[in-house]
Amino acid sequence: MDRRAFLMTAALAAAGVGAMRHLPAQARGIPAAAFPELPRDVCYPGPPATTIATTVIDLFKIGPGPSSSHTLAPLRIASDFRNVLEALPPETLDRVARLRARLHGSLSATGKGHRTDRAVLAGLLGQKPESCDPAVMDALADAQKRHETSIGGKRFTLGHDAVVWDTVEHAFPFSNTLIMEAVDAEGKVIVSREYYSTGGGFFAWKDQPEAKRGAPVHVYGSMAAFMDVCRKTGKAPHVVLMENETAILGLDAAAVNAHLDMVLDVMIAGVELGLREEGLLPAPFEFYRKAKRLHQEALKLPEGERLMQLVSSYAIAVSEGNAAGRLAVTAPTLGSAGTMPAVVYLLDKHVRVPREALRRGLLFGALAGYLCKNNASVAGAEVGCQGEIGVASAMAAAMAAYATGASPEAAEVAATIALEHHLGMSCDPVGGFVLIPCIERNAFGALKAYNACLMAKSEIVSRHWEDFDRVVMAMLQTGKALPPAFREMGTAGLGMTMVDC
Ligand code: SF4
């Protein structure tokens, strides 16, 4: 084996690509004969044989910023642990003297900048993500204050000492690990649960039983398989997706549409609120909001330049709100919460896309997100920023294309182009705050998304070689090959070079 072949094989092995179960390769792809010198063992093995059962309610979660993995998921985890405590027999709960959250990995490394401690306290105090007022999170900043709550009829007093910034290096299966513990007066653990924040506000725990949900009507694990379903059933993608949503969730289409409408409304409201707000964002250095100014200046620009800056201002408006702890939507994460809303706002206010078409577009955008989440990752701590802003851009591109009447194949190409041109992007937030580079990065994610949509709608789709499944696999491989310091540790790249020693 020559050096190039060895390096490629080693990279694939390191990414665990070879270990995945794969379906037979699809016909799409560049024929191997075009590259006779390439080793055959690194050719595309086909999309992974997974079954997508993620829904729009899982993917598009509403909660306070700034980070889905470091703020929203810890809040949801602490809220879940509160439920665990409430279900304890009274005699067991009576022995609990203290509650403790031990943060590991990137949660420990950058949790302070992401308000992980406040999120854990908010969840333990009974706050729910979708209704958690930013003022509540602000009030939890004071490390001297203690807060009363009743769990299962027992009174607890909680403060910042309930949060332990534990080991960054660890052997747990997920980087973002959070161990919730209820301990007695001697410090002995009575109940504990090992939770994992798996990106996009999702969480799981060790030995979690399989959730009881309906089975999807249409089985697919890749974009290629999804398109096959559409072709074989003769159904449009949004119909196939909606049939799966209702079957898995046990809801009717009206309820799913109500969630889609809530997502669209929160996104639009986030843009409009962010365009009104000014001043400093919470940070240990002077960091000013700029969306309002960018928007005002955009309106003075010549027509040819205006739209680009308007879209940037929309994305930055939502991202600044997210950094300030305002409610935002995980699309797919809160770090990337500005990308899709900017494109939604563009479609709604400038292109005048009707609400029904926006809903359909959102479903197709969700499809791109499902495939990235299930076949790679949407966590910056796992695959870098390509999994957050890159995936958000792909989702927004697919949404925009489908909502504006592109064919399913063109919508796939739009998602493919957008994701492809984020490959390799590391996650290096300065000081662990979702400010630099995150806020501006959302503007670029949105602009790339719309550019990808326009390109895909204008080209001859059958001549486009790259397909979504292959680019998702390339993202996974690239992400796994990124050094850990470039995966949300804040200890490399901009996270280091922006700081004067
Ligand atoms: S750099 Fe990207 S992945 Fe990392 S925190 Fe910021 S938005 Fe998220």
Side-chain angles (χ1 to χ4, degrees):
M1 188 184 283
D2 66 17
R3 185 173 174 275
R4 186 176 176 201
F6 170 76
L7 289 174
M8 290 184 79
T9 308
L12 283 164
V17 170
M20 293 174 83
R21 200 158 63 87
H22 288 91
L23 298 171
Q26 305 296 306
R28 195 122 163 237
I30 303 167
F35 304 105
E37 76 284 4
L38 265 188
R40 291 292 167 265
D41 54 353
V42 296
C43 289
Y44 180 58
T50 47
T51 297
I52 303 294
T54 316
T55 70
V56 287
I57 289 179
D58 309 315
L59 187 69
F60 296 123
K61 293 179 288 298
I62 297 166
S67 165
S68 42
S69 56
H70 289 54
T71 321
L72 178 55
L75 199 162
R76 297 180 73 219
I77 285 169
S79 177
D80 183 77
F81 192 64
R82 193 184 151 97
N83 294 338
V84 171
L85 296 175
E86 277 176 344
L88 287 176
E91 60 279 13
T92 308
L93 184 60
D94 213 37
R95 287 170 44 221
V96 176
R98 275 192 310 126
L99 303 179
R100 190 164 63 196
R102 285 169 36 215
L103 311 181
H104 291 273
S106 151
L107 287 177
S108 178
T110 65
K112 284 204 174 99
H114 290 116
R115 305 178 177 194
T116 308
D117 43 359
R118 295 187 227 178
V120 167
L121 285 175
L124 288 175
L125 291 170
Q127 291 289 325
K128 298 286 174 230
E130 0 17 276
S131 55
C132 184
D133 195 302
V136 172
M137 295 287 272
D138 290 346
L140 293 171
D142 189 341
Q144 308 308 318
K145 269 200 184 156
R146 303 194 70 73
H147 309 270
E148 296 271 326
T149 189
S150 169
I151 302 176
K154 184 179 165 79
R155 303 289 306 167
F156 287 92
T157 306
L158 299 169
H160 280 230
D161 55 352
V163 179
V164 180
W165 305 97
D166 217 316
T167 52
V168 173
E169 303 281 330
H170 61 70
F172 299 111
F174 282 90
S175 167
N176 293 325
T177 295
L178 201 168
I179 300 177
M180 300 295 303
E181 294 174 333
V183 297
D184 67 13
E186 278 76 50
K188 192 168 148 242
V189 176
I190 299 172
V191 188
S192 77
R193 192 173 265 190
E194 185 177 308
Y195 288 97
Y196 314 115
S197 167
T198 56
F202 288 89
F203 71 91
W205 63 88
K206 191 178 177 188
D207 303 325
Q208 182 178 8
E210 205 156 305
K212 287 191 186 66
R213 296 180 119 190
V217 180
H218 306 287
V219 176
Y220 68 92
S222 63
M223 187 64 90
F226 177 82
M227 292 296 189
D228 262 0
V229 168
C230 296
R231 275 189 286 272
K232 282 180 186 148
T233 59
K235 291 179 177 174
H238 64 276
V239 175
V240 170
L241 288 163
M242 181 58 90
E243 286 179 355
N244 268 12
E245 297 286 331
T246 54
I248 296 166
L249 292 166
L251 298 172
D252 60 18
V256 176
N257 277 331
H259 184 75
L260 294 176
D261 278 342
M262 184 166 66
V263 166
L264 291 168
D265 291 344
V266 172
M267 286 180 170
I268 290 167
V271 172
E272 292 177 346
L273 177 64
L275 291 180
R276 290 196 300 272
E277 294 195 309
E278 290 177 285
L280 286 165
L281 285 172
F285 56 102
E286 271 195 4
F287 193 90
Y288 284 93
R289 287 173 181 263
K290 64 181 177 191
K292 183 175 178 180
R293 182 178 165 76
L294 285 182
H295 185 252
Q296 287 169 341
E297 292 299 312
L299 298 175
K300 299 176 199 161
L301 290 174
E303 202 179 334
E305 297 170 14
R306 193 183 309 148
L307 191 66
M308 201 170 184
Q309 185 154 313
L310 283 174
V311 172
S312 294
S313 73
Y314 302 154
I316 289 173
V318 176
S319 300
E320 288 177 346
N322 175 62
R326 305 269 181 262
L327 288 185
V329 181
T330 57
T333 66
L334 287 181
S336 58
T339 300
M340 273 194 107
V343 179
V344 164
Y345 204 78
L346 171 72
L347 297 176
D348 188 50
K349 306 295 179 197
H350 297 267
V351 190
R352 301 280 176 201
V353 174
R355 180 53 72 111
E356 176 54 25
L358 274 181
R359 283 192 210 112
R360 292 176 179 185
L362 203 51
L363 279 171
F364 205 102
L367 166 69
Y370 297 163
L371 293 168
C372 291
K373 159 136 189 65
N374 284 275
N375 295 340
S377 171
V378 296
E382 300 284 332
V383 293
C385 199
Q386 48 174 2
E388 296 204 10
I389 301 286
V391 173
S393 189
M395 290 167 64
M399 171 189 69
Y402 198 67
T404 55
S407 68
E409 290 77 12
E412 179 201 338
V413 168
T416 305
I417 294 173
L419 185 60
E420 184 185 350
H421 300 295
H422 283 90
L423 290 184
M425 198 156 73
S426 61
C427 169
D428 50 359
V430 175
F433 285 75
V434 188
L435 299 171
I436 304 171
C438 318
I439 289 176
E440 282 178 1
R441 204 165 264 185
N442 275 276
F444 283 87
L447 290 169
K448 280 192 198 177
Y450 205 60
N451 194 16
C453 163
L454 297 177
M455 283 172 71
K457 284 170 67 177
S458 304
E459 73 170 295
I460 297 168
V461 166
S462 59
R463 292 184 189 163
H464 193 94
W465 282 110
E466 304 91 321
D467 68 53
F468 194 65
D469 296 322
R470 291 163 203 261
V471 176
V472 171
M473 188 170 293
M475 177 177 76
L476 175 65
Q477 181 193 345
T478 308
K480 294 286 181 194
L482 281 174
F486 287 89
R487 290 190 254 135
E488 211 162 351
M489 289 298 182
T491 54
L494 289 171
M496 277 306 286
T497 55
M498 285 296 294
V499 180
D500 281 341
C501 297

